[in-house]
């Protein structure tokens, strides 16, 4: 599913200067019958429109991904490719493009801004397409499963800015080895090759941090990204 962004860019003399943020969440998976990230992503456009889009921010596409690895790579790349500006696109699209991927950590008590992904797929349970890799490289041509890709975004600054707003949030260097890490690794590699940026954020269940607070957090994250870049 997708939705079109609303442009509220600062009108500088040299044209619009803005950040376009595209977001993804995940559907349900083993042990999580209702994924909070699906709710966040599906409602984010309406929430941002109602509460006011931060200056300089364009909320682009909002996609909900299958909670799957290898079997969902093709649609993942179609989603990522859809954000690459064309020659005839809006002038603002030539600015910065960021992918923000939301995933759930059912055991978490706070939000986690993920700094990196590892080239290893070791799934603790089968994904939604029945795949359960063990110690396999996500991108074999990248080499060893120990290879790490880091985001180009200022994770520490983002975390500090969100903490100042009152959120329980931390920086993390371990996105796991399940689908979240799998998608993040692909997205970071894609970003490096296409001049975009990528960030993964783990959220708790709504039982731990309620839906309204999580919607506020998502909106605040986008505001922070727009202000820092």
């Amino acid at each position: 599913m997708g939705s079109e962004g609303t442009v509220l860019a600062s009108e500088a003399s040299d044209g619009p200067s803005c950040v376009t943020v595209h977001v993804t969440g995940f559907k349900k998976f083993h042990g999580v019958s209702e994924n909070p990230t699906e709710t966040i992503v599906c409602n984010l456009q309406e929430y941002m429109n109602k509460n006011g889009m931060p200056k300089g921010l364009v909320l682009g596409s909002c996609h909900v991904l299958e909670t799957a690895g290898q079997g969902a790579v093709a649609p993942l790349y179609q989603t990522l490719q859809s954000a690459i500006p064309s020659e005839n696109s809006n002038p603002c699209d030539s600015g910065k493009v960021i992918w923000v991927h939301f995933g759930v950590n059912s055991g978490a008590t706070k939000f986690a801004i993920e700094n990196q992904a590892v080239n290893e797929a070791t799934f603790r349970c089968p994904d939604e397409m029945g795949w359960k890799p063990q110690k396999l490289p996500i991108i074999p041509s990248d080499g060893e499963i120990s290879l790490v890709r880091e985001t180009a975004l200022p994770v520490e600054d983002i975390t500090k800015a969100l903490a100042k707003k009152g959120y329980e949030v931390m920086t993390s260097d371990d996105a796991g080895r399940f689908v979240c890490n799998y998608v993040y690794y692909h997205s970071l590699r894609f970003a490096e090759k296409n001049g975009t940026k990528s960030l993964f954020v783990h959220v708790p269940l709504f039982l731990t941090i309620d839906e309204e607070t999580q919607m506020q957090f998502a909106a605040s994250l986008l505001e922070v990204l727009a202000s820092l870049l």
Side-chain angles (χ1 to χ4, degrees):
M1 72 180 298
S3 58
E4 296 302 318
T6 302
V7 178
L8 288 178
S10 56
E11 297 296 331
S13 57
D14 57 349
S17 173
C18 58
V19 176
T20 302
V21 180
H22 302 271
V23 299
T24 70
F26 289 104
K27 297 181 181 178
K28 67 174 181 64
F29 62 97
H30 181 79
V32 178
S33 58
E34 292 185 9
N35 195 323
T37 69
E38 181 171 8
T39 302
I40 291 168
V41 171
C42 287
N43 295 335
L44 190 56
Q45 182 75 66
E46 182 182 354
Y47 186 89
M48 297 296 291
N49 288 341
K50 185 175 74 173
N51 291 278
M53 200 74 67
K55 186 177 181 180
L57 174 72
V58 177
L59 178 56
S61 60
C62 299
H63 289 276
V64 179
L65 307 173
E66 291 289 343
T67 308
Q70 194 173 54
V73 165
L76 170 64
Y77 273 85
Q78 289 172 359
T79 300
L80 295 173
Q81 192 66 44
S82 70
I84 301 301
S86 65
E87 290 182 7
N88 300 320
S89 59
N90 186 298
C92 188
D93 291 343
S94 62
K96 299 178 178 67
V97 174
I98 301 172
W99 278 97
V100 175
H101 306 287
F102 289 101
V104 65
N105 178 352
S106 58
T109 58
K110 56 177 64 176
F111 301 102
I113 311 298
E114 299 292 349
N115 183 53
Q116 62 189 32
V118 185
N119 189 32
E120 179 187 344
T122 296
F123 291 5
R124 65 184 183 278
C125 61
D127 67 16
E128 288 302 285
M129 293 184 176
W131 191 46
K132 190 182 178 183
Q134 298 296 306
K135 295 192 180 301
L136 290 181
I138 294 170
I139 305 287
S141 61
D142 274 3
E144 297 297 320
I145 61 173
S146 58
L147 183 76
V148 169
R149 287 185 180 272
E150 294 186 359
T151 180
L153 290 165
V155 168
E156 293 288 349
D157 293 341
I158 293 167
T159 304
K160 286 175 184 175
L162 289 166
K164 281 184 179 179
K165 291 178 180 289
Y167 297 105
E168 290 288 322
V169 59
M170 59 180 279
T171 299
S172 168
D173 284 326
D174 185 2
R177 299 294 183 272
F178 193 48
V179 175
C180 291
N181 177 75
Y182 191 91
V183 166
Y184 197 18
Y185 191 87
H186 275 287
S187 183
L188 288 168
R189 187 173 184 268
F190 183 90
E192 185 179 309
K193 291 180 177 295
N194 290 277
T196 57
K197 290 183 170 62
S198 176
L199 186 68
F200 200 102
V201 179
H202 267 119
V203 306
L205 295 170
F206 284 153
L207 286 172
T208 307
I209 297 181
D210 65 87
E211 180 179 338
E212 177 59 26
T213 302
Q214 295 218 33
M215 291 304 302
Q216 291 172 1
F217 173 84
S220 294
L221 172 63
L222 299 192
E223 183 181 355
V224 167
L225 288 173
S227 68
L228 286 176
L229 300 175

